[in-house]
Amino acid sequence: RLQEVFYITIPSMKPQLLFSAVMTIVSTLKAGSISTQLTGMAITPQYAGHLIINHIDDYAFIRFQLGYASSISVMLLIVSYFAMRFAYRLFGSKEEL
């Protein structure tokens, strides 16, 4: 029964797992707007709900330190790229690699 799960069920579900992994990574990057909508400010009280997206918005559009904000954005882009590559390597088919 366990071999059936590992050799038949999971390989047939890999495209769906890859799609859900990519969508989860993208949605976590958009989660910074939730704290902004709840508090009405880009900066939450005592930075309680401060995510990296809020940090970028704070430094780019409130403090106008665009160089620092763009460098943090590039680092976020690199981290998300490697997370996507990991998801493709984990859930992609062998023919696509």
Side-chain angles (χ1 to χ4, degrees):
R1 192 146 189 84
L2 195 58
Q3 288 178 349
E4 179 184 337
V5 170
F6 282 120
Y7 293 111
I8 296 173
T9 306
I10 292 178
S12 66
M13 290 177 55
K14 279 191 175 184
Q16 291 86 0
L17 291 172
L18 177 63
F19 177 75
S20 67
V22 169
M23 293 305 291
T24 302
I25 292 169
V26 170
S27 66
T28 56
L29 295 176
K30 294 179 3 180
S33 64
I34 295 171
S35 62
T36 304
Q37 291 171 355
L38 288 174
T39 60
M41 298 179 291
I43 304 169
T44 56
Q46 296 179 353
Y47 297 100
H50 205 68
L51 300 173
I52 188 124
I53 299 296
N54 299 107
H55 189 70
I56 293 169
D57 285 343
D58 177 27
Y59 275 90
F61 302 116
I62 296 174
R63 300 180 189 189
F64 297 110
Q65 295 180 2
L66 298 177
Y68 178 73
S70 63
S71 65
I72 296 295
S73 298
V74 169
M75 293 305 296
L76 180 64
L77 176 71
I78 291 170
V79 167
S80 63
Y81 172 74
F82 283 118
M84 296 285 185
R85 289 277 309 232
F86 177 71
Y88 275 107
R89 185 166 298 266
L90 190 64
F91 298 120
S93 65
K94 299 293 183 198
E95 295 85 29
E96 293 175 2
L97 298 175

